[in-house]
């Protein structure tokens, strides 16, 4: 595939696919991630924690850092993007201009009695879904429970709205289904109408709810000395928000970025950073949180030329597309198509957008996302911002359904235009057109001395008037001077002066001009929710060995695995302990993140503990290591083992981790091993 | 030096020292950093920006990322630390417990007429300094202006307080100097007294100022649906702050971290992240900002054993110490001493603290901080928190004076104790003592059937009472049973039961116990202000070539330089352009951050532009490259050039960047070159 050539690190690993004979068990996954401290609710020791805030522990932090490192190499380094690191605190004026202060909101309703708050669309959705479920129960149609409900049930927390087995009229069922299919499309007032029409209440109390009101999702604060002096309004006191995305930090710096790039487009800026959204009622673990890490690219292009210089390298990448026409016809069938075809058939708007779709597909599969659970869903007409010309979401399937993890939008010239209008700063590109054009002009040559003598203080005014005349007016004067030897110039001061052919010579000349074209670039924006990708990857990597459901494995690719290699010894012999430290030091020198486990548990147990963490390789030394200088190497997924000289094994591990060697290649360099020390 | 062995990457570069024949020019540095977009005020296009908020542009971001990468390798990877990534938003309860809500404040005063606000200590300091300056002027003693004042003057902004040439009495001068020497030690009320006593007013208006009031430096916000519903007090509404440091995120996760480390200390957690402080009046560019990146380590040790296993590796590292005794005697003379001596002489409290001082000295000099402008200042008794047992700041000298960039404190058990007390969660280590002890106990054996038959429903109560008796009480019963065959048991229900020797057999046994020692670990905390280090490094690296003051060079070490290698061609010939892309691709594969400059300016100009960015190496191809396959290599600081086969030069660059080869080594592999294409 041509695309492979564009990756700095060739990926020699096949994408892991759940291999287990056991059914996916969300409760077991959650328990494992918590027990091994991939992540945990923030401030957990202070009670139940705060909804929507999570801390990453050592393996979670390392996994996230490795995903970001892969992202940086795949995009920033590979494409020479201009990296930025802008502030989280954002002046309110900036977010007023971008539209966030007015429009970055969800609709919420309140229980009129107890004040309990709901996101309006979520409440309508939950109540209607519960009624449909009750209807199915009444009709005796069994339904597969969703993974989340199942998990809640096992934890004895029943979060979903209770459904009573009540049969509905067929036309009511059809109405409900129609509403649910387009639940994302209703405005707040429309949701209010639905609530009244279908008698939607707080399911827990049966109380009515208020009309929907808008709730802005940005966290606000103030800069400067407030506190005890709050409200006294000094010039110091600046209202501000925590950014809800990193994008505005790119746009306000556009003029500097353009200058850094020598005034030319296309180019891209990129930023990795924390953003904040005050979600009304966060659920779904890492998928809907109030503080999260994003990675965003803003690629600036000429609106008249959205081709991409490296498109040919990715045109054969195949995507699973869900175009808007398919959705609008009420279906969700995926179309398998190369990005080259999608662009040439105008399903994807332009080459640059297509280029990023293909590159993103490559990135996600490289870090271990299962390609069969990955789709590219196009925004429908009424779902897309009015200024956007095309928008596709990469959705990843997990136990929560299909979740948006990356958005790729063509945002047109919207952002740069609004900031430019507001600040009066020109956020535009000046392009000197390559082809010069010949222009016919009339040239005035003055006999400076004689002209000055004759007109004295009026000389300059007359000269400037002549030089400022349009070509056709000057033509008349030239003709008169040629035919009569004199002509007249009417100046701005109201006076008319007579000029003569000896004072001014007017003649046609040809001038070569380089025209300058000025334009506001369009922005193609791929925007990544790192936490969502990370969680989806954990689900896709999680399985249990056939012989024992409790023998969990995380099949993370070596490139993103928190630890690349486990190093263990078969005994606590002092010589072996010295040797293991030596091996550990050598791996560190090579930059291989390894970990020594010198605890007293069995080797099988050590391997099992590291399978859970996704550690792809394990090295074991025993007494043969002291006598013959050998070490064994184990591969996590297959548990296959090889053996060879210690330094050779270390260099094989290094190459396996870098991806310049695969297991087959490793098997060619080392001997197959089936010893006794792997007591699993 | 033994210490070198502990660095994962041997540093073969000497530390750059300003080499210029020209005097340091702060205005020129600022202009260069702004023009090349190392950093710029945030929201600059929206007016003057917001004080204390800066955005990093491409070279600044890359420099910061490289410093953080070096930090991660030097500390986290090298020492197997447990990395964390915790939330910025912090529940107010957590910061109440830590003491930040009550004590993390500065004192401020207000102009009584126009409401202008000052930090109280800064105002007293500025006014007294201005009076001393005026006194010197009146006495005719010239003084060197500070770099910052000078810079402000050149920019025609006069920020410092205006000084009038008025002579003071000698005893007044002495009083002022005494106050200024301990300006950091005054409480708010004391600052108020000083203001009254010395008639300190707003220098701009001459108005009096208010009594100092405390101003908390944390930014606050609320979580949950507030907005239009603000103040209605749902359970959703959680008050919170943006963290002023990352440390609390470590402490609240201590129990999970300890478990991850198999229950054992010592170990360390580490975190890199953004923190926030609402500075009253930020100045000094990147040195005092409202949003900044920190890197913090919390190393947990046994309070009874603060030795460090790897101390021997760093004991010969020499530090420039400024101990508290020296400062308390009013001096600032530095003491050059190895960390081994400093610990053995008890100048530094313990090995672990000393270990981190040495490792930090190695880190800072590795990334390019000039060691002659680096000192380790110990906190004085009244400057240190009451719970801390020792604290040292790494201060780096720049045009702003000596600025704290890294703090290394032994925080004792304070943090874990307060969080444990508040939450009732045991944040303690359980250590099983190695030596078992034999304990004599009395063992009760019951004839279960007969006992049950006799006592029926009371049987359990009697059994539990017997098993719960202290040894001496049980001894009495045993003796009675032995001598008389019967005894009595008084139970909690108030009744007394008679037991007989056939129902219960009591006999002495010897039990082996592993005693468990429980303790709260102490915390050694090295805390890094990355922006301050980055800015100091830029000052230390900045110089101009002798022949031309405008030929600026940033002598950044290759490890942290934003771009490692410039690639240029001598002409726009298509074959050369193809070749240059090929070279660029090869460098990218090796992970060398390189940049092609294919603009039309001269090669000398291209080199100069990249000297300003700190790019250490430059490769040039010309027609000889097409004919003979050679490429030249230029070193930034010396402008020396070498030549060799293209692939050899690429591999030399790779090694130079990795630090496995120095320029001398490169000169041995390639030929010296003095060609015509370097037209500087």
């Amino acid at each position: 595939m041509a695309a492979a050539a564009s990756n700095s690190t060739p990926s020699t690993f096949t994408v892991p696919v759940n291999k287990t004979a056991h059914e996916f068990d969300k409760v077991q996954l959650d328990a494992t991630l918590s027990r091994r401290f991939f992540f945990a609710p923030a401030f957990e020791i202070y009670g139940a924690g705060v909804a929507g805030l999570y801390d990453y522990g050592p393996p979670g932090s390392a996994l996230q850092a490795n995903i970001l490192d892969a992202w940086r190499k795949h995009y920033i380094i590979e494409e020479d993007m201009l990296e930025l690191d802008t502030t989280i605190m954002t002046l309110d004026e900036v977010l007023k201009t971008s539209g966030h202060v007015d429009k970055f909101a969800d609709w919420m309703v309140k229980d009129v009695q107890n004040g309990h708050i709901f996101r309006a669309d979520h409440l309508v959705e939950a109540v209607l879904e519960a009624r449909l479920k009750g209807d199915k129960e009444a009709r005796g149609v069994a339904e597969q429970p969703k993974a989340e409900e199942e998990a809640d049930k096992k934890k004895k927390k029943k979060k979903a709205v209770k459904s009573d087995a009540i049969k509905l009229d067929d036309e009511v069922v059809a109405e409900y289904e129609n509403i649910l299919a387009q639940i994302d499309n209703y405005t707040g007032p429309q949701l209010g109408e639905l609530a009244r029409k279908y008698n939607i209440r707080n399911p827990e109390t049966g109380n009515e709810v208020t009309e929907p009101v808008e709730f802005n999702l940005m966290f606000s604060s103030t800069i400067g000395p407030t506190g005890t002096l709050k409200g006294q309004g000094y010039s110091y006191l600046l209202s501000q928000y925590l950014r809800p995305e990193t994008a505005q930090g790119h746009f306000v710096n556009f003029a500097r970025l353009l200058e850094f790039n020598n005034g030319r487009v296309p180019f891209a800026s990129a930023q990795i950073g924390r953003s904040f959204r005050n979600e009304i009622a966060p659920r779904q673990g890492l998928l809907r949180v109030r503080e999260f890490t994003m990675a965003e690219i803003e690629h600036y292009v000429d609106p008249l030329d959205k081709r991409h210089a490296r498109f040919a390298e990715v045109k054969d990448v195949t995507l699973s597309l869900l175009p808007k026409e398919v959705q609008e016809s009420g279906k969700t069938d995926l179309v398998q198509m190369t990005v080259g075809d999608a662009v040439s058939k105008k399903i994807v708007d332009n080459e640059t957008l297509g280029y990023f779709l293909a590159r993103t597909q490559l990135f996600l599969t490289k870090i271990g996302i299962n390609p069969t659970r990955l789709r590219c869903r196009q925004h429908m007409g009424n779902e897309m911002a009015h200024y956007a010309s095309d928008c596709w979401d990469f959705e990843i399937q997990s136990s929560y359904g299909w979740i948006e993890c990356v958005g790729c939008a063509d945002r047109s010239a919207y952002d740069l235009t609004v900031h430019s209008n507001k600040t009066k700063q020109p956020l535009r590109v000046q392009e000197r057109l390559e082809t010069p054009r010949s222009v016919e002009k009339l040239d005035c040559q003055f006999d400076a001395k004689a002209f000055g003598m004759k007109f004295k203080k009026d000389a300059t005014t007359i000269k400037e008037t002549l030089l400022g005349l349009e070509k056709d007016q000057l033509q008349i004067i030239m003709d008169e001077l040629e035919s009569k030897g004199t002509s007249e110039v009417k100046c701005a001061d109201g006076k008319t002066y007579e000029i003569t052919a000896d004072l001014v010579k007017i003649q046609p000349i040809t001038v070569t001009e380089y025209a300058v074209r000025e334009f506001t670039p369009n922005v193609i924006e791929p925007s990544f929710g790192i936490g969502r990708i990370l969680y989806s990857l954990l689900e896709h990597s999680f399985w249990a060995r056939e012989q024992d459901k409790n023998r969990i494995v995380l099949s993370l690719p070596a490139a993103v695995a928190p630890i690349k290699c486990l190093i263990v010894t078969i005994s606590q012999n002092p010589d072996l302990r010295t040797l293991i430290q030596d091996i550990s030091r050598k791996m560190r020198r090579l930059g291989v993140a390894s970990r020594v486990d010198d605890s007293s548990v069995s080797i099988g147990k050590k391997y099992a503990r590291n399978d859970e963490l996704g550690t792809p390789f394990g090295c074991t030394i025993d007494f043969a290591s002291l006598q013959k200088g050998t070490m064994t190497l184990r591969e996590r997924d297959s548990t296959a083992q090889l053996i060879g000289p210690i330094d050779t094994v270390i260099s094989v591990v290094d190459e396996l981790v870098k991806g310049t060697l695969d297991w087959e290649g490793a098997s060619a360099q080392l001997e197959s091993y089936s010893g006794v020390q792997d007591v699993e």
Side-chain angles (χ1 to χ4, degrees), chain A:
Chain A
M1 184 163 67
S6 70
N7 293 321
S8 47
T9 319
S11 175
T12 56
F13 289 91
T14 52
V15 173
V17 173
N18 288 2
K19 310 170 181 188
T20 183
H22 313 284
E23 218 179 300
F24 173 75
D25 184 341
K26 168 85 171 133
V27 173
Q28 192 185 24
L29 172 67
D30 287 347
T32 307
L33 297 179
S34 172
R35 182 165 45 80
R36 303 313 304 270
F37 199 8
F38 275 81
F39 54 88
F43 327 117
E44 199 183 16
I45 63 168
Y46 277 79
V50 176
L53 292 180
Y54 289 89
D55 289 344
Y56 289 86
S61 296
L63 178 58
Q64 180 183 250
N66 295 340
I67 290 172
L68 291 174
D69 186 56
W71 192 89
R72 193 175 257 121
K73 283 186 186 133
H74 188 83
Y75 291 103
I76 299 183
I77 308 264
E78 179 64 28
E79 317 223 353
D80 259 353
M81 292 176 176
L82 303 185
E83 190 165 2
L84 282 174
D85 189 19
T86 70
T87 58
I88 287 170
M89 292 204 164
T90 307
L91 198 60
D92 60 351
E93 239 183 301
V94 171
L95 292 163
K96 274 178 197 150
T97 306
S98 68
H100 285 86
V101 171
D102 286 340
K103 292 176 201 153
F104 197 67
D106 279 340
W107 293 94
M108 66 177 183
V109 294
K110 198 169 60 146
D111 180 313
V112 291
Q113 306 261 347
N114 72 3
H116 196 94
I117 284 169
F118 300 88
R119 215 175 106 171
D121 55 344
H122 286 180
L123 179 66
V124 172
E125 192 175 24
V127 170
L128 295 191
E129 276 179 352
R131 289 184 191 165
L132 285 177
K133 202 171 155 224
D135 171 69
K136 283 200 178 137
E137 283 167 24
R139 291 173 193 239
V141 187
E143 206 181 28
Q144 286 289 68
K146 276 192 202 167
E148 193 184 21
E149 279 175 40
E150 200 59 14
D152 284 342
K153 223 182 278 172
K154 286 199 188 175
K155 285 192 236 162
K156 291 181 184 161
K157 281 197 253 165
K158 189 72 188 77
K159 285 256 179 88
V161 174
K162 207 177 56 182
S163 56
D164 298 314
I166 296 172
K167 192 171 175 303
L168 304 170
D169 288 344
D170 286 356
E171 58 270 36
V172 173
V173 169
E175 271 178 60
Y176 285 6
E177 282 173 347
N178 184 32
I179 293 164
L180 289 172
Q182 48 184 311
I183 192 74
D184 291 342
N185 281 341
Y186 293 106
T187 64
Q190 287 172 331
L191 289 166
E193 272 174 48
L194 290 176
R196 280 195 305 279
K197 179 167 176 193
Y198 296 105
N199 191 28
I200 285 168
R201 293 157 173 259
N202 178 348
E204 278 171 29
T205 62
N207 297 333
E208 282 185 19
V209 295
T210 60
E211 277 303 293
V213 291
E214 264 186 317
F215 172 61
N216 193 292
L217 296 181
M218 293 193 295
F219 288 102
S220 66
S221 192
T222 45
I223 290 183
T226 57
T228 53
L229 292 164
K230 202 160 186 168
Q232 295 190 28
Y234 304 107
S235 56
Y236 298 90
L237 201 69
L238 286 168
S239 172
Q240 45 97 36
Y241 295 97
L242 303 188
R243 67 181 175 204
E245 59 176 30
T246 77
Q248 303 307 320
H250 301 236
F251 302 138
V252 296
N253 283 299
F254 175 75
R256 282 183 173 273
L257 290 167
L258 180 65
E259 193 192 335
F260 193 86
N261 206 51
N262 299 323
R264 296 184 290 190
V265 291
F267 75 91
S269 54
Q271 178 166 208
I272 297 169
R274 211 65 78 86
S275 294
F276 297 79
R277 295 184 188 175
N278 197 357
E279 295 283 349
I280 291 174
R283 285 173 59 188
Q284 303 186 312
L286 289 190
L287 298 185
R288 192 169 294 280
V289 291
R290 285 169 162 153
E291 180 176 337
F292 51 96
T293 298
M294 299 180 90
E296 290 192 303
I297 294 165
E298 309 297 336
H299 183 92
Y300 310 92
V301 290
D302 185 334
L304 302 183
D305 181 7
K306 296 188 178 176
R307 286 174 304 168
H308 194 287
R310 295 176 70 175
F311 186 70
E313 295 177 31
V314 300
K315 68 177 173 38
D316 295 330
V317 172
T318 300
L319 303 173
S320 297
L321 300 176
L322 180 53
K324 56 186 171 193
E325 291 78 10
V326 175
Q327 298 167 67
E328 282 162 356
S329 72
K331 290 182 183 157
T332 56
D333 304 315
L334 299 181
V335 186
Q336 302 294 323
M337 194 182 285
T338 67
V339 70
D341 285 349
V343 170
S344 69
K345 290 180 181 164
K346 276 295 190 186
I347 294 171
V348 169
D349 185 74
N350 58 69
E351 268 194 10
T352 298
L353 188 57
Y355 179 77
F356 281 109
L357 292 182
R359 291 278 299 155
T360 299
Q361 171 87 11
L362 292 174
F363 171 73
L364 292 172
T365 52
K366 181 155 76 182
I367 64 167
I369 294 294
N370 181 342
T372 66
R373 302 177 72 185
L374 180 61
R375 72 182 186 190
C376 245
R377 189 181 72 79
Q378 189 173 28
H379 278 207
M380 290 174 281
N382 45 8
E383 189 181 1
M384 201 158 56
H386 67 274
Y387 49 80
S389 57
D390 197 6
C391 184
W392 294 79
D393 287 343
F394 276 90
E395 295 183 333
I396 305 178
Q397 192 187 37
S398 69
S399 60
Y400 295 104
W402 288 97
I403 301 290
E404 177 202 345
C405 292
V406 184
C408 290
D410 183 334
R411 301 178 57 86
S412 76
Y414 175 76
D415 309 279
L416 295 176
T417 304
V418 294
H419 285 298
S420 177
N421 289 347
K422 175 73 186 173
T423 61
K424 312 293 176 214
Q425 302 292 318
L427 305 180
R428 293 167 71 78
V429 174
Q430 302 233 341
E431 182 195 26
R432 199 176 96 159
L433 296 176
E434 296 256 325
T435 323
R437 50 177 194 174
S438 295
V439 184
E440 298 285 320
K441 290 197 167 181
L442 295 179
D443 181 52
C444 299
Q445 305 250 358
F446 299 92
D447 180 337
K449 201 176 163 188
F451 199 86
M453 296 267 285
K454 170 147 191 200
F455 296 112
K456 305 245 159 44
K457 65 175 175 52
D458 299 323
T460 307
T461 310
I462 302 167
K463 268 188 191 172
E464 280 178 1
T465 304
L466 273 170
L467 291 172
L469 287 175
E470 292 294 320
K471 194 182 168 192
D472 50 356
Q473 296 173 289
L474 204 55
Q475 182 80 45
I476 295 167
I477 295 173
M478 185 182 88
D479 292 346
E480 286 187 357
L481 286 178
E482 263 178 27
S483 56
K484 305 192 289 179
T486 68
S487 183
E488 284 181 343
V489 183
K490 189 170 181 185
C491 290
D493 58 9
K495 293 188 202 158
T496 300
Y497 301 90
E498 190 185 30
I499 54 170
T500 51
D502 59 324
L503 293 176
V504 192
K505 188 175 285 174
I506 302 177
Q507 55 194 10
I509 54 166
T510 305
V511 178
T512 305
E513 266 190 0
Y514 288 88
V516 170
R517 179 183 150 231
E518 209 183 76
F519 61 89
T520 302
N522 280 15
V523 172
I524 313 280
E525 178 192 80
S527 171
F528 296 70
I530 299 300
R532 290 182 171 195
I533 294 171
L534 182 144
Y535 175 77
S536 307
L537 175 58
L538 288 170
E539 268 206 17
H540 290 198
S541 306
F542 179 81
W543 56 288
R545 298 211 189 271
E546 194 165 357
Q547 66 270 37
D548 181 357
K549 186 168 185 296
N550 294 315
R551 291 282 302 280
I552 291 159
V553 185
L554 276 184
S555 283
L556 296 169
V560 295
I563 298 162
K564 315 301 184 192
C565 190
L566 167 72
I567 318 173
V568 292
T569 124
I570 196 128
S571 97
Q572 302 284 329
N573 173 292
D575 291 344
L576 286 176
R577 291 184 78 127
T578 307
L579 182 58
I580 214 169
Q581 290 307 328
D582 187 46
I583 293 166
S584 165
R585 199 156 34 239
K586 283 180 177 166
M587 292 229 184
R588 209 148 54 206
R589 284 273 158 78
L590 290 168
V592 175
S594 60
R595 179 144 275 199
V596 170
D597 184 346
D598 58 2
S599 68
S600 55
V601 301
S602 75
I603 287 191
K605 175 84 180 159
K606 287 178 186 176
Y607 280 150
R609 283 207 296 223
N610 278 274
D611 289 346
E612 272 183 2
L613 288 177
T615 308
F617 306 109
C619 288
T620 304
I621 56 169
D622 57 13
F623 293 104
S625 307
L626 296 175
Q627 289 151 20
K628 296 189 278 178
T630 55
M631 178 159 73
T632 66
L633 172 62
R634 171 186 182 268
E635 197 274 328
R636 174 196 60 209
D637 296 354
S638 63
T639 73
Q641 292 192 71
L642 304 173
I643 190 165
I646 289 175
D647 285 339
T648 312
V649 173
I650 291 174
S651 116
V652 163
V653 169
D654 182 37
E655 287 205 68
L656 284 168
V657 170
K658 283 190 185 136
T660 52
L661 192 73
D662 60 10
W663 189 252
E664 203 181 10
S667 307
Q669 286 191 35
L670 302 170
E671 277 177 51
S672 165
Y673 180 72
S674 149
V676 289
Q677 75 264 53
D678 190 2
V679 295
E680 298 174 275

